[in-house]
Amino acid sequence: MNDWASVLPLVILVVAFLLLVIRPARANRRQFQQLQSQLTVGQQVMIASGIFGRIDGIDDETVQLRIAPETVVTVNRHAVSRVVEPAPDQTGTDI
C-alpha cells in the first residue's frame, strides 16, 4: 500500500499535464490546420506579423497577399494567422 501512496502524486501530475497542456495544444493545432485548408482567393486575412490583406493567389507553400492597390507580397502559407470578416457597411444606419 505504501508503494501506491508514493506513486499517486506522480500519476496526478501526469494527468494534470495532459489535461492542461497537451489537449489545448492539440486543439490549437487542429484549428490552425482547419484554417489553412479553408483559405480561398478573395478572403481578407491577417498574417502573424499583423499585416492585413486580401488573398490574390494560393500555392502549396505560399500565398500572394494584396496589401495595397498595386502591392502584392508573397508570404509563407503558414504565416496566415486568421481570416478577418469584413466590417458591415456603416452606410444607412440610424443612430
Side-chain angles (χ1 to χ4, degrees), residues 11-47:
V11 170
I12 291 173
L13 221 67
V14 169
V15 170
F17 182 76
L18 287 172
L19 291 175
L20 297 175
V21 176
I22 304 254
R23 289 189 68 205
R26 281 186 186 166
N28 288 343
R29 186 175 61 232
R30 192 176 312 124
Q31 182 181 8
F32 181 74
Q33 288 172 342
Q34 181 181 5
L35 170 85
Q36 292 294 313
S37 68
Q38 294 176 348
L39 291 177
T40 59
V41 174
Q43 281 183 317
Q44 184 80 15
V45 296
M46 183 183 85
I47 61 176

Side-chain angles (χ1 to χ4, degrees), residues 45 47 49 51-59 62-77 79-80:
V45 296
I47 61 176
S49 62
I51 298 174
F52 291 86
R54 186 170 307 281
I55 297 176
D56 270 1
I58 301 175
D59 294 332
T62 60
V63 172
Q64 290 75 37
L65 194 64
R66 181 171 302 275
I67 57 174
E70 296 295 322
T71 307
V72 176
V73 295
T74 301
V75 298
N76 188 305
R77 187 176 183 140
V80 176

